[in-house]
Amino acid sequence: MQLTDPRRAAPAVTTGGTPAPARRRRRWRGRSLVLNLVSIVLGVAGWETLALLGYTLPTPAAVARRAGELVADGTLADDVRASLRRVVLGFALGTAAAVPVGFLMGWYATARALIEPWIQFFRTIPPLAIIPLAIVLMGIDETPKVFVIFLAAFLACVIATFQGVVDVNRTLIDAARVLGARDLSIFLRVVIPASTPFIFVGMRVGLGSAWATLVAAELIAAQSGLGYRMQSAQLYYDLPTIFVGLISIGVLGLVMDRLLLLVERRVTGWQERR
């Protein structure tokens, strides 16, 4: 009589044939969505309460009315397009430059010794402090705006990429060498996959830095953009318009962050998660 090895037993399934872990994940996603909605409702309720108590805040209804006006006349759409163009371009260029520089610093000790002091030096200088220099050197068109955003994203991502290469498990590299792998093969098959989670963390931090730098970047002779609209509203004490800009930046940043997180999960599906 053949005995069944318990270690090879079929995974637990539900009555519908769906694995139990998958059902638990779906249940948690539903619960997480409900908690997100509850959090939003509580936040708006707290905002309304503060406004009714006399704090200098517009009510959610006033902000919604102002948002409707800006949407109706096309102003909000134009501002969103202008800001998105600057952020996406600066972030994309910053990430594209940061990843190879981070790999270079992490893989070659000589490159690290040459480049790292400059990276650490510029990290101590806020990107906003570069604005006067950017205006003098690049003028007042789109170039200095994108450059400041590029710098913010680059400095966040390059450090994460460098740290990812440095933290690769040395045992994996040694095992690959024992099996006869050359440096290029080790770099492509071991270092890059092991560093990918760090790169995505750096990209998410860089994306946040890019949006955080946007408002200041649009001080440079901008004629449109969410930051520009908020700066103009400040002159007239137009709080609803300022809140519309803040909420728009927050929503756009959140959506882009979630898209990055989705890509990360697909690319690093092999990584164990809690």
Side-chain angles (χ1 to χ4, degrees):
M1 180 174 59
Q2 186 177 2
L3 299 177
T4 301
D5 188 344
R7 292 174 298 179
R8 297 186 180 182
V13 296
T14 64
T15 55
T18 304
R23 186 183 180 187
R24 284 195 297 268
R25 284 195 297 270
R26 284 202 299 269
R27 190 187 304 123
W28 168 247
R29 290 194 193 103
R31 182 183 176 189
S32 179
L33 180 60
V34 171
L35 291 174
N36 291 159
L37 294 174
V38 169
S39 176
I40 293 172
V41 171
L42 290 176
V44 173
W47 173 12
E48 178 77 24
T49 301
L50 291 175
L52 294 177
L53 288 175
Y55 287 88
T56 310
L57 293 172
T59 62
V63 173
R65 284 195 300 271
R66 183 56 179 156
E69 295 169 359
L70 293 173
V71 169
D73 62 16
T75 301
L76 186 58
D78 291 340
D79 289 339
V80 167
R81 279 194 296 269
S83 293
L84 265 179
R85 183 175 61 251
R86 291 165 185 146
V87 169
V88 170
L89 184 56
F91 170 71
L93 292 175
T95 302
V99 171
V101 172
F103 277 136
L104 196 64
M105 290 170 55
W107 191 245
Y108 296 106
T110 301
R112 183 188 313 173
L114 290 172
I115 300 173
E116 188 176 15
W118 291 105
I119 297 295
Q120 299 300 338
F121 172 78
F122 282 106
R123 281 185 65 222
T124 62
I125 302 175
L128 305 185
I130 304 294
I131 289 179
L133 180 63
I135 293 174
V136 171
L137 296 179
M138 303 176 186
I140 58 174
D141 58 2
E142 289 295 300
T143 304
K145 302 179 185 64
V146 173
F147 174 75
V148 174
I149 296 171
F150 157 85
L151 191 61
F154 172 82
L155 292 173
C157 191
V158 70
I159 294 297
T161 303
F162 162 68
Q163 197 62 46
V165 177
V166 171
D167 285 351
V168 172
N169 192 333
R170 189 71 195 180
T171 303
L172 297 176
I173 297 176
D174 292 339
R177 291 191 191 280
V178 169
L179 293 174
R182 298 183 179 275
D183 282 352
L184 179 60
S185 180
I186 292 173
F187 184 77
L188 295 176
R189 295 177 178 271
V190 178
V191 175
I192 291 181
S195 304
T196 300
F198 288 84
I199 295 172
F200 275 101
V201 170
M203 290 175 68
R204 294 179 66 192
V205 174
L207 180 62
S209 299
W211 279 108
T213 310
L214 172 70
V215 175
E218 290 184 341
L219 281 171
I220 308 174
Q223 298 300 318
S224 62
L226 295 170
Y228 162 78
R229 194 65 52 194
M230 292 166 62
Q231 301 281 349
S232 300
Q234 174 192 350
L235 301 176
Y236 302 100
Y237 208 65
D238 184 0
L239 286 178
T241 298
I242 294 175
F243 268 70
V244 171
L246 288 173
I247 294 171
S248 299
I249 290 175
V251 170
L252 291 170
L254 179 62
V255 169
M256 292 178 70
D257 180 78
R258 288 298 176 263
L259 289 175
L260 267 180
L261 190 59
L262 179 62
V263 173
E264 177 191 3
R265 286 176 177 169
R266 292 186 177 276
V267 172
T268 62
W270 50 269
Q271 186 182 21
E272 184 179 355
R273 288 184 172 87
R274 289 182 291 180

